[in-house]
Amino acid sequence: MGLQISRRAAMRRAISVAAGAAAATTTIKVSEQVGARRPLPFYKGPAASIHADRRTAPRNSHVDVVWSVNTIKREIALTFDDGPKPQWTPKVLETLRRHGVPATFFLVGRNLAEHADLLAQDADRHEFGNHTWQHEDLARQDFDAAIEALTRAHEAIIHLLGRVPTLMRPPYGHLGGSTMLACAELGYSVVLWSKQMLESDFRDNPSGLVDYIVGSSGAGDIVLAHDTGPKDRLVALDRLDSMIVGLQERGFEFVTVSQLLNGSSG
Ligand SMILES: [Zn+2]
């Protein structure tokens, strides 16, 4: 009898758990459907890649989006995001200078406005791309906000470095239609990456990051690093020397992203 009661109680509990789970599932499904059925604004929102007046086409007919480059040349492009900042930009520049290696820096306009002097000595060796004015998440911006974030940084690069940038890297790798439209207006190619410094994965085994980058990089890779940010970025920056030497020993040559895209390093 006792057993029967407890079995019945267990069954009741099982039924109520199942019902609860079913209810939860139903709730999720309903909310997903509500979200899916709510249309994004056709024009004006972050997803819109067409101008809201429905009449104006962007100045450029297309925008390239690049993760890496198909090439048989053993070329790799190192890229450094978010600077310039006094913290580690000079250390990175010094290492690159010592090896005679060029890189591409995706600059945050506001940081450039404050610290352009950090780049003066080495500007000729390197390429500079646009990483927005203050690291905005462009996937959340409508066209007006996206083009404002990009234009302010674009003008800072022209004004402070005397170069017209042609490459844009979106913060976080986040993209929306409004960003593509802004890039078509400004003549930018969008540059993502095919390999990145996995600092947080190698905090306890820093030399493992050297092995990972040197061992797994291939021709045409675009490598993402940062010359500012949290302290674990040093897991990579402290070992930049070994990475450069290791990749050169494997026969790789370092080029800027534009050289990689144009196949023009010889
Ligand atoms: Zn960034």
Side-chain angles (χ1 to χ4, degrees):
M1 186 71 179
L3 183 64
Q4 273 182 345
I5 286 169
S6 74
R7 195 181 292 159
R8 213 176 297 142
M11 199 174 288
R12 264 203 305 273
R13 211 174 305 133
I15 288 166
S16 84
V17 167
T25 308
T26 309
T27 310
I28 290 165
K29 276 186 183 151
V30 167
S31 69
E32 278 174 355
Q33 280 172 4
V34 167
R37 285 177 186 170
R38 189 189 310 136
L40 291 164
F42 282 170
Y43 304 105
K44 278 271 185 198
S49 57
I50 299 295
H51 278 304
D53 69 0
R54 299 179 295 160
R55 288 167 172 76
T56 311
R59 223 177 308 177
N60 286 277
S61 61
H62 70 279
V63 173
D64 287 335
V65 182
V66 180
W67 284 263
S68 64
V69 171
N70 290 322
T71 175
I72 52 164
K73 290 188 199 166
R74 288 178 81 74
E75 294 178 340
I76 285 180
L78 292 175
T79 66
F80 296 89
D81 288 11
D82 298 355
K85 282 271 200 176
Q87 199 185 15
W88 300 317
T89 304
K91 173 188 172 77
V92 169
L93 288 169
E94 192 277 325
T95 304
L96 297 170
R97 194 185 312 138
R98 196 150 21 86
H99 293 277
V101 163
T104 303
F105 290 82
F106 287 96
L107 304 172
V108 169
R110 196 175 60 172
N111 293 346
L112 177 64
E114 279 178 43
H115 303 294
D117 55 311
L118 296 176
L119 301 172
Q121 185 188 344
D122 295 86
D124 289 348
R125 183 191 311 281
H126 304 297
E127 179 166 25
F128 301 102
N130 190 333
H131 199 45
T132 74
W133 176 251
Q134 49 184 352
H135 213 262
E136 290 90 344
D137 185 342
L138 294 172
R140 294 180 180 277
Q141 316 284 323
D142 65 13
F143 172 76
D144 289 346
I147 201 158
E148 156 99 18
L150 291 170
T151 301
R152 280 188 84 180
H154 185 84
E155 285 172 356
I157 293 169
I158 293 173
H159 181 63
L160 295 165
L161 296 174
R163 311 261 279 272
V164 181
T166 59
L167 308 177
M168 191 287 285
R169 173 170 283 162
Y172 318 105
H174 287 186
L175 285 171
S178 60
T179 302
M180 302 308 291
L181 185 58
C183 286
E185 289 292 354
L186 294 168
Y188 276 116
S189 293
V190 176
V191 178
L192 298 161
W193 57 90
S194 53
K195 181 124 321 222
Q196 73 186 87
M197 301 288 184
L198 299 172
E199 294 97 338
S200 57
D201 285 6
F202 289 93
R203 240 179 253 137
D204 300 327
N205 172 27
S207 63
L209 181 57
V210 178
D211 296 341
Y212 168 69
I213 293 293
V214 173
S216 69
S217 295
D221 263 334
I222 296 174
V223 181
L224 167 66
H226 293 83
D227 55 333
T228 183
K231 204 154 181 247
D232 73 357
R233 298 271 157 81
L234 289 174
V235 171
L237 300 183
D238 283 346
R239 289 158 189 85
L240 196 53
D241 251 319
S242 314
M243 293 179 193
I244 290 171
V245 170
L247 286 165
Q248 285 175 333
E249 281 172 357
R250 285 192 57 213
F252 287 105
E253 187 188 343
F254 295 95
V255 294
T256 64
V257 171
S258 282
Q259 286 171 331
L260 193 64
L261 292 172
N262 299 330
S264 65
S265 76

